[in-house]
Amino acid sequence: MRLYSVPISTNVERVTLALAHKGLEVEHVEVPYDDRSEVLRVSGQELVPVLVSGGEVVSDSTAILEWLEERFPAPPLFPAVPARRAEARLFVDWFDRVWKRAPNVIADELEGGSPDQELVARRGAELRASLDLFEALLDGRDYLWGDELSVADCVAFPFLKFGLLWTEDDPYVFHAVLRDHLRPDARPRVAAWIRRMDERPRA
């Protein structure tokens, strides 16, 4: 398997966490952030990650997680019970369609040159308030969906981690937005989960 990525990608980290969880090895192909021609050649689009296995090409991190679960079901990322599996998929969809909207809006505003500060403040407050939900999900368990790693952890951690984990050489405005608006100091379970997740291997 080959995994196409760009440096410090949140969506790529989702996949590398899942691959390591399943004990799978992958060849990394890192392309420049501003030159996606190789990704376009391989997959017909420019977004990463892209996973290539034999004659199959899978793009989009959540699609890759589903693909991995179908072909390598053990250890699982999704619950075995159909209703719980559906709930996990709803969480992933909510995270991508709803939760990620706020930091993307803020980043677009800041990169536009004359940000609407009221909009930035409102969306930032949404991000901070969302930590209460994650704190509640972690009540009495080590991971978001139970006592074992699941797709929910792989999907959310690469984004929430920036509230605690940050490197000065990170050039991405989007990551700085997460750093500035996600401060889990008053959410000890979230902070402990971030540290616990960061100790997990990546493929």
Side-chain angles (χ1 to χ4, degrees):
M1 287 190 289
R2 294 194 308 278
L3 183 67
Y4 289 81
S5 65
V6 296
I8 325 178
S9 167
T10 48
N11 287 326
V12 169
E13 188 173 15
R14 288 174 160 184
V15 175
T16 59
L17 282 165
L19 286 164
H21 174 64
K22 291 180 176 293
L24 300 172
E25 295 183 357
V26 68
E27 174 191 350
H28 288 270
V29 182
E30 190 171 280
V31 301
Y33 188 84
D34 56 357
D35 181 7
R36 310 289 181 92
S37 57
E38 180 65 9
V39 176
L40 180 63
R41 183 190 68 79
V42 168
S43 68
Q45 55 86 56
E46 296 184 340
L47 299 178
V48 296
V50 171
L51 185 70
V52 178
S53 179
E56 295 189 81
V57 178
V58 190
S59 57
D60 182 81
S61 62
T62 54
I64 294 171
L65 295 178
E66 291 272 4
W67 185 93
L68 289 171
E69 185 75 356
E70 180 180 339
R71 285 154 184 80
F72 307 96
L77 282 172
F78 290 81
V81 176
R84 291 286 291 156
R85 180 176 291 242
E87 290 169 353
R89 287 185 171 127
L90 282 173
F91 173 88
V92 172
D93 187 67
W94 168 80
F95 193 90
D96 282 348
R97 293 178 184 270
V98 178
W99 189 91
K100 283 173 62 178
R101 179 66 179 157
N104 276 305
V105 167
I106 295 172
D108 288 345
E109 284 293 318
L110 296 177
E111 292 179 314
S114 54
D116 180 338
Q117 295 299 338
E118 182 180 346
L119 177 61
V120 169
R122 186 170 67 252
R123 291 293 193 170
E126 289 177 19
L127 274 180
R128 288 188 295 277
S130 76
L131 291 175
D132 292 333
L133 174 62
F134 294 98
E135 184 77 359
L137 282 171
L138 291 162
D139 188 9
R141 57 195 192 187
D142 288 339
Y143 295 98
L144 294 176
W145 226 244
D147 294 326
E148 302 292 338
L149 182 87
S150 78
V151 66
D153 304 286
C154 293
V155 163
F157 166 74
F159 296 83
L160 270 65
K161 73 175 187 178
F162 285 100
L164 284 180
L165 309 175
W166 175 259
T167 57
E168 292 295 332
D169 59 346
D170 189 329
Y172 300 132
V173 172
F174 182 74
H175 296 170
V177 168
L178 297 172
R179 174 199 65 193
D180 293 342
H181 294 281
L182 291 174
R183 297 293 185 181
D185 303 337
R187 284 88 170 183
R189 290 190 289 270
V190 173
W193 169 77
I194 290 172
R195 295 188 180 97
R196 188 160 51 250
M197 284 294 299
D198 193 48
E199 292 176 355
R200 297 191 66 93
R202 281 75 156 173

